[in-house]
RNA sequence: GGAGAAGUACCCAAGUGGCUGAAGGGGCGCCCCUGCUAAGGGUGUAGGUCGCGUGAGCGGCGCGAGGGUUCAAAUCCCUCCUUCUCCGCCA
């Protein structure tokens, strides 16, 4: 959510910046009228309430003095009726304004390149050497099916499309990656481990920005107003919803493993094979609550910590600075980390590291105080995948495949794989 | 899932229609006394947010949340949420 005061005082500048996004912001034009009407109504109704409070005191005094107050009471009846009417109006305007504000995306940071879509994302660095194969390389779903470590067919029988069974060393690899990443972030990068609920309520989904605009992307629990989490970002960020965090706790850094659930509405037919796009996948997430003045420095740190995982796994990747048209709804700045997927002969997103500035904090009401007397300010929130596990498995299978169809296990994972160095039949 | 009880400021807690922004403790700040410590006395302090105003300030809201009754609600009514106790079910 944007700062109403900013919107009020610098409407044209804000609108101009929002126009750099690839989104329809025409609804914004009603803002000024709504804001004006709201403030006017508040003034009217508060004046009446002030009067009512004053006269109520007088009535109570008259009652105590055993004087007749009936004429004043009669007058106040009318005032109260008027108050009720104005309160209703105010509620309506508030609702409209809120509806509008919750659907306005974040303002892009000036360092985000201006552009329309993914074509305009800026590659800022590359790491690792892309392997050239001396034999016919295979896609990860073929490798995995041959090795009997992934079973897509049975998963679609048991559930449906875009689900998978991991089996044997496949399941072990997935679990090894989770533990390896969690250990790295906890022991080397100083994060506190969190295991969150996999379902959250509507307020939480609104707090991090998945709602109200993107409800069709989430799985909804039928009997409750709960949603399956699309990422651990939602429960972990909302841990501190409606809180004032002690300044000495900033930055607060959490890492959380969770399963993630996405309806993938609108991506029918894309990445139908393999692990790239599933309705349920595992992810290790990094979340940081920081002071506003630190947030861009913290974004670099967070991104480097996600990159570290790929470096240790020795998987080639590149980092993109996402352009204004491809930032998504909530981010002011976002780096995507893309890992090399040989079968695609391209890089594919494996992590997304974002600075939301105060956009989520304002929605979720997460604040801090510089000292006891100071006014509460909104924190800045950041998060990033560190990393998406399924896509990491895909990258490992493809990048570490050998001519005989077996998979060499990256060295850092071997302690987590019972000392094995190869996945074979 | 059933039956009961409760939710008041940083914490505990009083308060069944007007004199309650809310008694009383604790805590916290300052002062005094006791050469230290323990203890004692005095005194001060109560959140957040919205609107108006350049500002000092003025005003609205606020007793779990949201509605309602009333001239007036912490107090009466309705809905919801959370916590606790008992019962049932259960990994």
């Amino acid at each position: 959510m944007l700062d109403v005061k900013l919107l009020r005082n610098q409407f044209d500048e804000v609108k101009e910046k929002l126009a750099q996004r690839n989104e329809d912001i025409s609804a914004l034009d009603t803002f000024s009228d709504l804001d004006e009407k709201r403030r006017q109504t508040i003034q009217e109704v508060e004046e009446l309430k002030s009067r009512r409070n004053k006269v109520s005191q007088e009535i109570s005094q008259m009652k105590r003095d055993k004087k007749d107050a009936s004429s004043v009471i009669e007058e106040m009846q009318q005032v109260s009726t008027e108050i009720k009417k104005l309160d209703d109006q105010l509620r309506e305007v508030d609702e409209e304004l809120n509806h509008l504000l919750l659907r306005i995306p974040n303002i892009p940071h000036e360092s985000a390149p201006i552009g329309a879509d993914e074509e305009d994302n800026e590659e800022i660095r590359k790491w690792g050497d892309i392997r050239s194969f001396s034999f016919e390389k295979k896609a990860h779903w073929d490798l995995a099916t041959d090795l009997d470590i992934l079973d897509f067919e049975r998963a679609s029988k048991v559930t449906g499309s875009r689900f998978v069974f991991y089996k044997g060393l496949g399941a072990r690899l997935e679990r090894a990656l989770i533990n390896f990443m969690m250990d790295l972030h906890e022991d080397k990068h100083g994060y506190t481990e969190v295991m969150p609920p996999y379902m959250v309520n509507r307020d939480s989904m609104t707090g991090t920005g998945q709602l109200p605009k993107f409800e069709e992307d989430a799985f909804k629990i039928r009997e409750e107003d709960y949603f399956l989490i699309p990422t651990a970002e939602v429960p972990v960020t909302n841990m501190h919803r409606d809180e004032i965090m002690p300044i000495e706790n900033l930055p607060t850094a959490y890492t959380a493993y969770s399963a993630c659930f996405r309806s993938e509405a609108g991506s029918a037919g894309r990445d139908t094979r393999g692990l790239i796009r599933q309705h349920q996948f595992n992810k290790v997430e990094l979340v940081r609550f920081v002071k506003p003045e630190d947030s861009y420095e913290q974004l670099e740190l967070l991104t480097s910590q996600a990159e570290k995982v790929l470096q240790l796994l020795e998987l080639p990747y590149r980092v993109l600075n996402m352009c204004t048209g491809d930032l998504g709804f909530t981010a002011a700045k976002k780096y995507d980390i893309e890992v090399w997927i040989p079968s695609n002969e391209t890089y594919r997103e494996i992590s997304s590291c974002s600075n939301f500035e105060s956009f989520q904090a304002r929605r979720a009401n997460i604040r801090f105080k510089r000292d006891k007397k100071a006014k509460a300010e909104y924190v800045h929130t950041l998060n990033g995948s560190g990393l998406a596990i399924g896509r990491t498995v895909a990258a490992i299978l493809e990048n570490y495949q050998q001519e005989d169809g077996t998979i060499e296990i990256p060295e850092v994972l071997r302690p987590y794989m019972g000392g094995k160095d190869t996945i074979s039949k």
Side-chain angles (χ1 to χ4, degrees):
Chain A
M1 197 148 67
L2 299 184
D3 181 359
V4 175
K5 287 193 180 111
L6 183 74
L7 212 46
R8 186 183 297 154
N9 298 330
Q10 299 176 41
F11 184 81
D12 292 334
E13 292 92 319
V14 171
K15 194 176 170 185
E16 200 176 307
K17 282 186 184 162
L18 290 176
Q20 298 169 351
R21 288 175 164 276
N22 204 1
E23 284 182 65
D24 178 21
I25 51 159
S26 55
L28 203 55
D29 294 333
T30 60
F31 170 79
S32 299
D33 284 349
L34 285 172
D35 183 51
E36 186 58 40
K37 179 152 191 230
R38 171 171 175 272
R39 288 191 290 164
Q40 203 183 319
T41 312
I42 285 175
Q43 262 175 272
E44 282 177 42
V45 75
E46 288 193 352
E47 204 172 304
L48 289 177
K49 282 179 179 175
S50 174
R51 180 144 162 254
R52 182 177 69 183
N53 287 344
K54 217 169 281 167
V55 177
S56 282
Q57 297 287 313
E58 287 166 24
I59 291 172
S60 120
Q61 186 62 47
M62 287 165 88
K63 294 262 188 192
R64 263 175 280 134
D65 296 347
K66 308 266 193 252
K67 285 186 193 152
D68 176 36
S70 56
S71 72
V72 197
I73 287 177
E74 203 173 305
E75 193 199 332
M76 280 303 103
Q77 280 173 347
Q78 286 179 20
V79 172
S80 258
T81 310
E82 184 65 16
I83 287 174
K84 203 160 286 176
K85 205 180 93 193
L86 288 171
D87 264 343
D88 285 345
Q89 279 179 24
L90 184 59
R91 204 173 308 158
E92 231 168 86
V93 175
D94 265 338
E95 224 164 84
E96 262 182 84
L97 195 58
N98 218 10
H99 179 95
L100 173 67
L101 288 172
L102 285 174
R103 286 167 177 77
I104 299 174
N106 202 356
I107 298 171
H109 189 249
E110 58 192 14
S111 65
I114 294 170
D117 52 38
E118 67 268 14
E119 299 295 312
D120 298 320
N121 295 333
E122 183 190 339
E123 182 181 299
I124 52 177
R125 59 182 167 269
K126 264 184 182 167
W127 186 93
D129 297 322
I130 289 166
R131 178 178 164 195
S132 55
F133 290 89
S134 56
F135 53 90
E136 182 109 357
K137 61 179 183 276
K138 291 181 180 168
H140 67 275
W141 52 86
D142 287 331
L143 290 160
T145 307
D146 291 346
L147 289 166
D148 196 25
I149 56 173
L150 292 176
D151 190 338
F152 294 96
E153 278 184 31
R154 288 199 175 92
S156 65
K157 171 177 71 182
V158 170
T159 308
S161 67
R162 296 199 190 282
F163 287 89
V164 67
F165 278 101
Y166 287 76
K167 250 178 91 179
L169 286 178
R172 182 76 180 256
L173 179 62
E174 183 92 358
R175 187 159 56 85
L177 282 165
I178 294 167
N179 284 330
F180 162 66
M181 291 183 201
M182 292 296 287
D183 287 355
L184 174 70
H185 297 311
E186 210 178 344
D187 297 340
K188 299 286 196 310
H189 296 158
Y191 286 77
T192 302
E193 179 173 354
V194 165
M195 274 204 181
Y198 286 7
M199 295 181 204
V200 294
N201 59 30
R202 185 170 289 272
D203 284 346
S204 294
M205 289 288 274
T206 306
T208 30
Q210 283 74 22
L211 295 182
K213 255 187 128 169
F214 309 105
E215 185 154 352
E216 74 280 3
D217 291 335
F219 285 111
K220 172 87 174 61
I221 305 300
R222 199 178 291 279
E223 311 72 24
E224 302 271 355
D225 205 14
Y226 293 166
F227 298 83
L228 289 177
I229 58 171
T231 157
E233 160 194 350
V234 180
V236 176
T237 306
N238 279 281
M239 274 173 80
H240 292 294
R241 174 150 52 82
D242 294 321
E243 288 183 14
I244 296 178
M245 302 177 74
I247 189 168
E248 61 270 20
N249 289 5
L250 300 182
T252 288
Y254 294 118
T255 181
Y257 153 72
S258 86
C260 304
F261 303 90
R262 298 188 183 178
S263 76
E264 295 296 343
S267 59
R270 290 176 61 197
D271 303 309
T272 47
R273 305 194 71 184
L275 291 172
I276 298 294
R277 197 174 298 275
Q278 298 276 301
H279 285 311
Q280 175 191 321
F281 61 95
N282 295 308
K283 181 157 59 70
V284 168
E285 185 74 0
L286 306 171
V287 177
R288 300 184 79 87
F289 301 82
V290 309
K291 284 183 266 182
E293 62 268 30
D294 297 339
S295 68
Y296 280 94
E297 193 180 292
Q298 293 271 313
L299 177 63
E300 299 303 321
L301 177 70
L302 178 83
T303 307
S304 74
Q305 289 164 339
E307 285 176 64
K308 186 75 187 173
V309 177
L310 289 167
Q311 290 168 11
L312 290 170
L313 291 169
E314 298 183 73
L315 290 167
Y317 68 86
R318 65 175 184 172
V319 180
L320 301 180
N321 185 6
M322 306 303 275
C323 76
T324 53
D326 204 18
L327 266 180
F329 181 70
T330 46
K333 180 168 188 171
K334 177 160 84 172
Y335 293 123
D336 268 13
I337 303 174
E338 297 186 334
V339 69
W340 180 255
I341 299 286
S343 68
N344 290 163
E345 297 204 323
T346 185
Y347 292 95
R348 299 296 306 258
E349 178 190 339
I350 197 165
S351 171
S352 209
C353 301
S354 307
N355 183 0
F356 305 99
E357 298 191 4
S358 59
F359 188 82
Q360 291 182 326
R362 190 170 275 109
R363 289 174 159 248
N365 192 28
I366 307 168
R367 295 174 296 171
F368 76 104
K369 279 185 176 183
R370 294 191 188 271
D371 58 73
K372 220 181 154 196
K373 294 260 167 157
K375 197 173 151 61
E377 300 171 54
Y378 290 109
V379 301
H380 280 192
T381 59
L382 301 94
N383 68 52
S385 347
L387 312 161
I389 308 292
R391 290 186 179 183
T392 308
V393 168
I396 288 172
L397 295 181
E398 295 202 7
N399 283 286
Y400 280 86
Q401 64 179 292
Q402 300 177 95
E403 193 162 10
D404 61 1
T406 63
I407 313 293
E408 187 194 346
I409 295 171
E411 229 171 285
V412 288
L413 291 181
R414 291 178 193 171
Y416 294 92
M417 295 288 290
K420 291 190 182 59
D421 56 13
T422 310
I423 298 177
S424 55
K425 268 210 174 172

